[in-house]
Amino acid sequence: MKQPILQLNNINKSFPGVKALDGACLNVYPGQVMALLGENGAGKSTLMKVITGIYSLDEGEIRYQDKVVSFNGPRESQKAGISIIHQELNLLPELTIAENIFLGREITNRFGAINWSLMFEQADLLLKRLKVKHKSSTPLNELSLGEQQMVEIAKALSFESKVIIMDEPTDALTDSEVDSLFVVINELRDEGYGIVYISHRLKEIFEVCDDITVLRDGKFIAEKTVASMDEDTLIELMVGRRLDEQYPRIATTHSTVCLEVKELYAKATHGVSFTLNHGEILGVSGLMGAGRTELMKVIYGALARESGDIILNGQVINPTSSLQALNHGIAYISEDRKGDGLVLGLSVKDNMSLCALKDLSKGWQLDHQAEATSVNDFIRLFNIKTPSMNQIIGNLSGGNQQKVAIAKGLMTKPKVLILDEPTRGVDVGAKKEIYQLINKFKAEGMSIILVSSEMPEVLGMSDRILVMHQGQISGEFSAKEADQEKLMACAVGKNNNEVAA
Amino acid sequence: MSSNITSSVSAISKRHFLSKEWFIEQKSLIALIVLIAVVSVLNEYFFTIDNILNILRQTSVIAILAAGMTLVILTAGIDLSVGSILALCGAFAASMISLEIPVLIAVPVSLLGGAVLGSMAGLIISKGKVQAFIATLVMMTLLRGVTMVYTDGRPISTGFTDVADSFAWFGTGYMFGIPVPVWLMIFVFAGIWYLLNHTRFGRYVYALGGNESATKLSGINVDRIKIGVYSICGLLSALAGIIITSRLSSAQPTAGMGYELDAIAAVVVGGTSLAGGRGYIMGTLIGALIIGVLNNALNLLDVSSYFQMIVKAAVILLAVLVDNKNK
């Protein structure tokens, strides 16, 4: 067996209420590309943050070049020769390529002035090595995304890194850019670098990687050579968990169409069509960045629609603002409570009634009595744990915040309720309560779209499941025929027919 | 059900009264009372009805500007143009009065003019996506320039007509023994208080300042709210301009210069966060009074006007530091 250059053994890391890593392992070998795989939330990013010392580890050890190490942040790990290229590039678009490469450690003369010619010269050498056809004095914003990625790699090389970790490097790249990235990766491998390649795209794994490490729920599952694997076994390794009985499904009959989306095109939505029946829970699965949230926001009128129709109860509505969608009876609960879901500095009451204030006022004056009544009703109905409705919502737990967010949508008495990741950052107990609430709405005849990255949740709750991949629907399953392997296969880009075959 | 509501409401008010939270919330009021007590001991003239009314009248202009500024700052914006709107609308009112246009027409038209000027800033900010600081800086410079051109750099007298006499009521008149500007200040604060606490618009102002994207996603037209707050701020600036013009019987082209900073200081001393979404209109009134009392006290105590600026700066800094500490 080869000797790993970087070795992570039995890493444990807990956050309040969550065990993010539970005996995670990873070996990086010089001259090989190691794929790191796992579902959303499997602990890949946490593991990377442990390596660079952004998070301290609770247990376990990191061995680098045969020594136990612990880094105190990305600066230290980078100095030692471990570079991470993040999904979202950490570059400054207004500066030149050379300035970006040498940011924070500019080459200076002894008076502290920057030695520009030497810096450009060295940067040019790096670019040449990566076959980038730009001078290093070019401003970064004149480069394509793929070329910018090369600059990140050049930066990693300038640190004389021995280990380069790439987190979803091809997410934003075009096909030809992906090809040239792979050429560079192959060269780096031949030069003896140890490379970690994190990606959701299985095809790429088989194209460029030598070994595979699979994580699931923060646990180490397997380390295999790519040669010994095929796609199906790999998917099984990634999802392989059983559904437990936390999803109390209720059977309802639904035949009539409530919402229909026809050939919808928008910025990150490429020709999506589907229907939603009355009293149905439609699960929408897929990996991060598949365009699920964008699609929902187009339906909700918060993002611009390019073409196609949104039809509610037989009537074309095509909302151009969230207000229109709400007035038609579509409510959307955001996946990002902090970002655009809630106003964290306001009270529970002010947040919950925000969408529905028109119904809670007489003329232009707020009807405080009516507002308090319905807010308190929802607090009781949803079992929201808050000292009073005037509590600042930022002080509540994630689960209780989420319940307020759902109540906020329900206050508008919607016909269609779109829940985007309704259990993200929510503890197990509150999760179950939220599932029960969703079922209750369903029993009352509400039509629900449940967007979730957690496959067990989608499988357990939905009557029908759509899978999205790169802004398109890559699969549709009834609750009966769906299983995690099929969903995962569609999520990574196989289409329906391939899966069925 | 109803008992539930009343119990939770009374729980809140009970928690506040004389408890630690109550003191933290009322710290600007307490600071004002302490300030008054200290100065009363140091100077016997200070705590007389004449002087108190004097302070209130002197404070009214800044307080009215600060009331509008509070709305703007609650939305996480800022308005630097209040002083210039004050001058332009004051000059406009003065020339209408000098032309013997009746007060009942001249005053509403000036107020409307202020609202329109404010809404222009609001339009630039919301539709043009320009930062509030820049947009209102432009308006500040532009409108001061317009005022200078309009007045040719000279004061405009309201004249010596009957119309001018009745116009003088706004700045010099009394009602029930209390100066008219003080009444106007009280009405303005009562109005803004009502707006913020009892209307949808007020709730949206807080929401917008707390989290603009969440507010937008809640189906609220945030552009309309922004234009609304800058219009109200402009209208109140015009009202302040009318008071000053009426009091002096003439409009000075340089009137209101630097007032925007005093108004912002009053808002901040009153505990409203410049980051938006958090603050109280009554805090602003107290903030304005603290600055007003301080000015008056320093005069009474014969502190040179050069020193006054230093003391004022120290007090504002202190107020903000204390506010940060309690967050």
Side-chain angles (χ1 to χ4, degrees):
Chain A
M1 194 75 200
K2 312 147 281 192
Q3 191 57 39
I5 180 169
L6 175 67
Q7 205 174 0
L8 283 81
N9 293 327
N10 283 315
I11 307 285
N12 286 355
K13 173 73 194 168
S14 295
F15 297 106
V18 198
K19 195 149 196 193
L21 294 176
D22 183 5
C25 299
L26 177 68
N27 294 315
V28 186
Y29 306 99
Q32 298 212 10
V33 182
M34 170 64 80
L36 181 59
L37 290 172
E39 283 185 279
N40 295 338
K44 292 167 297 187
S45 310
T46 314
L47 193 61
M48 293 308 110
K49 286 181 179 159
V50 167
I51 294 179
T52 51
I54 294 173
Y55 294 154
S56 62
L57 45 84
D58 298 342
E59 264 174 77
E61 61 167 12
I62 303 175
R63 295 182 74 87
Y64 177 59
Q65 294 181 313
D66 279 334
K67 267 180 259 152
V68 176
V69 292
S70 77
F71 298 117
N72 251 330
R75 233 187 130 84
E76 266 186 35
S77 57
Q78 200 159 43
K79 233 178 183 168
I82 301 175
S83 288
I84 296 199
I85 297 166
H86 288 280
Q87 206 166 345
E88 275 156 29
L89 303 177
N90 283 319
L91 296 171
L92 303 168
E94 307 297 334
L95 298 187
T96 62
I97 296 178
E99 282 171 296
N100 267 294
I101 291 177
F102 292 106
L103 189 69
R105 48 196 179 103
E106 288 79 4
I107 301 169
T108 54
N109 64 20
R110 76 188 120 120
F111 301 113
I114 293 179
N115 188 340
W116 287 103
S117 53
L118 187 61
M119 211 164 91
F120 284 132
E121 198 178 302
Q122 294 206 1
D124 278 331
L125 277 178
L126 289 168
L127 292 183
K128 208 169 159 193
R129 197 164 144 200
L130 297 173
K131 302 194 176 57
V132 177
K133 291 182 196 72
H134 282 285
K135 291 192 97 137
S136 64
S137 52
T138 316
L140 190 85
N141 52 19
E142 290 178 17
L143 274 60
S144 71
L145 262 178
E147 290 167 332
Q148 294 188 16
Q149 193 122 45
M150 291 299 170
V151 173
E152 279 272 23
I153 295 174
K155 191 173 171 179
L157 294 181
S158 74
F159 275 100
E160 303 190 349
S161 302
K162 299 187 177 65
V163 175
I164 299 176
I165 299 166
M166 299 183 190
D167 192 356
E168 298 276 357
T170 57
D171 237 27
L173 301 191
T174 63
D175 287 349
S176 63
E177 284 173 337
V178 170
D179 289 341
S180 43
L181 176 68
F182 285 175
V183 171
V184 168
I185 290 179
N186 282 325
E187 275 170 20
L188 293 175
R189 172 189 12 223
D190 295 342
E191 288 170 35
Y193 290 91
I195 295 169
V196 180
Y197 190 87
I198 304 175
S199 179
H200 282 312
R201 303 186 183 184
L202 297 190
K203 279 204 184 97
E204 295 175 1
I205 304 290
F206 285 95
E207 221 177 307
V208 78
C209 298
D210 304 299
D211 307 284
I212 294 171
T213 297
V214 179
L215 293 183
R216 192 200 308 148
D217 297 334
K219 294 189 182 72
F220 171 77
I221 299 300
E223 182 187 317
K224 306 262 183 187
T225 59
V226 167
S228 70
M229 299 290 289
D230 59 53
E231 273 193 38
D232 292 335
T233 8
L234 193 52
I235 291 171
E236 215 176 287
L237 279 179
M238 283 164 70
V239 296
R241 108 187 92 176
R242 299 185 66 81
L243 276 189
D244 46 358
E245 279 308 307
Q246 62 165 323
Y247 308 101
R249 193 201 303 277
I250 47 168
T252 47
T253 50
H254 27 69
S255 47
T256 49
V257 172
C258 176
L259 179 78
E260 187 177 3
V261 172
K262 262 192 191 162
E263 279 299 304
L264 194 64
Y265 282 85
K267 207 170 171 196
T269 306
H270 310 297
V272 170
S273 303
F274 69 88
T275 58
L276 171 70
N277 293 327
H278 286 285
E280 180 186 41
I281 299 180
L282 178 67
V284 179
S285 179
L287 297 167
M288 274 178 212
R292 295 167 300 168
T293 296
E294 289 81 355
L295 170 63
M296 295 309 146
K297 284 192 174 171
V298 174
I299 296 173
Y300 183 59
L303 288 179
R305 180 185 58 95
E306 279 161 15
S307 67
D309 282 320
I310 299 159
I311 302 159
L312 184 69
N313 289 329
Q315 183 198 354
V316 178
I317 57 170
N318 293 344
T320 55
S321 73
S322 306
L323 183 61
Q324 282 183 18
L326 280 168
N327 286 341
H328 282 297
I330 298 177
Y332 169 78
I333 316 296
S334 168
E335 51 156 358
D336 184 2
R337 286 194 295 274
K338 200 172 162 188
D340 56 18
L342 296 170
V343 186
L344 291 184
L346 289 187
S347 68
V348 169
K349 173 185 65 128
D350 291 359
N351 270 287
M352 205 190 278
S353 60
L354 193 57
C355 292
L357 278 185
K358 259 203 188 114
D359 300 330
L360 297 171
S361 27
K362 292 174 183 152
W364 62 8
Q365 179 164 342
L366 293 176
D367 185 346
H368 292 292
Q369 189 81 37
E371 187 188 13
T373 308
S374 47
V375 168
N376 274 320
D377 279 349
F378 273 105
I379 288 178
R380 207 159 340 102
L381 182 70
F382 281 28
N383 191 21
I384 297 169
K385 291 181 191 71
T386 172
S388 91
M389 64 178 181
N390 294 304
Q391 174 73 18
I392 301 297
I393 197 164
N395 297 337
L396 299 189
S397 73
N400 284 305
Q401 287 185 12
Q402 186 64 34
K403 287 184 192 169
V404 175
I406 297 175
K408 175 182 166 192
L410 279 182
M411 270 208 171
T412 63
K413 303 191 184 76
K415 300 181 188 101
V416 175
L417 179 66
I418 305 175
L419 296 164
D420 197 350
E421 303 282 1
T423 62
R424 178 178 289 170
V426 167
D427 60 279
V428 184
K431 256 186 188 176
K432 210 165 188 171
E433 285 182 284
I434 289 173
Y435 295 141
Q436 279 160 354
L437 285 172
I438 296 175
N439 274 325
K440 203 170 186 176
F441 310 150
K442 174 186 170 184
E444 285 164 13
M446 201 178 288
S447 309
I448 295 160
I449 299 179
L450 172 68
V451 178
S452 175
S453 295
E454 282 190 44
M455 294 205 178
E457 179 173 301
V458 173
L459 287 166
M461 295 295 298
S462 317
D463 299 305
R464 216 152 37 93
I465 299 168
L466 301 176
V467 187
M468 284 192 74
H469 176 72
Q470 296 186 351
Q472 288 173 321
I473 290 181
S474 58
E476 181 180 339
F477 303 96
S478 69
K480 260 189 215 136
E481 59 185 356
D483 59 37
Q484 296 210 32
E485 283 76 13
K486 285 183 190 163
L487 294 191
M488 181 52 98
C490 287
V492 293
K494 283 191 172 184
N495 68 34
N496 225 356
N497 307 336
E498 280 178 61
V499 177
Chain B
M1 181 73 249
S2 64
S3 71
N4 197 335
I5 297 159
T6 44
S7 71
S8 61
V9 169
S10 63
I12 295 303
S13 40
K14 227 180 275 167
R15 179 173 66 88
H16 281 195
F17 187 62
L18 287 183
S19 67
K20 196 179 155 209
E21 287 83 3
W22 186 86
F23 274 108
I24 288 173
E25 214 141 271
Q26 308 297 326
K27 61 185 173 299
S28 39
L29 180 60
I30 292 162
L32 177 63
I33 292 168
V34 170
L35 185 63
I36 291 173
V38 170
V39 184
S40 303
V41 171
L42 292 176
N43 187 299
E44 57 195 26
Y45 174 71
F46 176 79
F47 205 73
T48 56
I49 291 194
D50 273 357
N51 192 47
I52 298 284
L53 288 182
N54 185 24
I55 291 173
L56 287 174
R57 191 178 49 216
Q58 285 171 348
T59 309
S60 61
V61 167
I62 291 296
I64 288 171
L65 291 178
M69 188 69 79
T70 306
L71 278 185
V72 169
I73 288 179
L74 277 176
T75 66
I78 194 96
D79 191 348
L80 301 178
S81 66
V82 290
S84 298
I85 295 182
L86 178 155
L88 182 55
C89 292
F92 190 44
S95 46
M96 279 193 285
I97 296 298
S98 68
L99 293 171
E100 293 192 58
I101 293 171
V103 171
L104 281 179
I105 294 171
V107 168
V109 167
S110 306
L111 292 177
L112 188 69
V116 170
L117 294 174
S119 73
M120 280 163 61
L123 269 172
I124 297 171
I125 291 161
S126 58
K127 302 292 180 194
K129 310 250 177 279
V130 178
Q131 281 170 344
F133 188 96
I134 303 298
T136 58
L137 182 67
V138 166
M139 291 301 282
M140 169 174 123
T141 315
L142 174 81
L143 297 181
R144 184 64 66 183
V146 172
T147 310
M148 289 299 178
V149 171
Y150 180 66
T151 61
D152 204 15
R154 287 190 289 264
I156 298 178
S157 167
T158 53
F160 301 95
T161 58
D162 286 350
V163 177
D165 282 350
S166 47
F167 182 69
W169 178 79
F170 285 95
T172 58
Y174 280 81
M175 257 168 65
F176 308 113
I178 291 175
V180 172
V182 178
W183 282 115
L184 291 173
M185 174 176 83
I186 293 168
F187 287 137
V188 164
F189 275 84
I192 301 286
W193 176 83
Y194 175 83
L195 194 68
L196 280 175
N197 292 291
H198 295 285
T199 68
R200 285 204 295 278
F201 180 83
R203 189 67 66 75
Y204 294 160
V205 165
Y206 278 103
L208 169 58
N211 185 341
E212 179 167 349
S213 23
T215 307
K216 219 182 223 166
L217 206 61
S218 300
I220 290 154
N221 187 339
V222 294
D223 288 354
R224 210 186 288 167
I225 307 294
K226 283 185 190 169
I227 295 168
V229 295
Y230 287 96
S231 305
I232 293 172
C233 194
L235 183 138
L236 294 179
S237 307
L239 178 63
I242 287 167
I243 293 172
I244 290 184
T245 308
S246 158
R247 183 151 184 77
L248 300 176
S249 308
S250 73
Q252 307 291 326
T254 55
M257 262 188 175
Y259 280 22
E260 59 281 342
L261 298 182
D262 282 344
I264 293 167
V267 174
V268 171
V269 169
T272 294
S273 159
L274 277 179
R278 199 176 59 90
Y280 311 91
I281 185 65
M282 288 309 154
T284 299
L285 181 58
I286 292 164
L289 287 175
I290 287 178
I291 293 175
V293 168
L294 203 61
N295 280 336
N296 180 269
L298 294 172
N299 277 332
L300 289 182
L301 298 174
D302 274 334
V303 177
S304 93
S305 62
Y306 302 150
F307 260 114
Q308 287 189 16
M309 286 192 261
I310 296 172
V311 175
K312 220 160 90 178
V315 167
I316 293 171
L317 181 64
L318 191 74
V320 178
L321 286 178
V322 169
D323 194 34
N324 281 344
K325 218 174 171 185
N326 286 324
K327 238 178 259 168

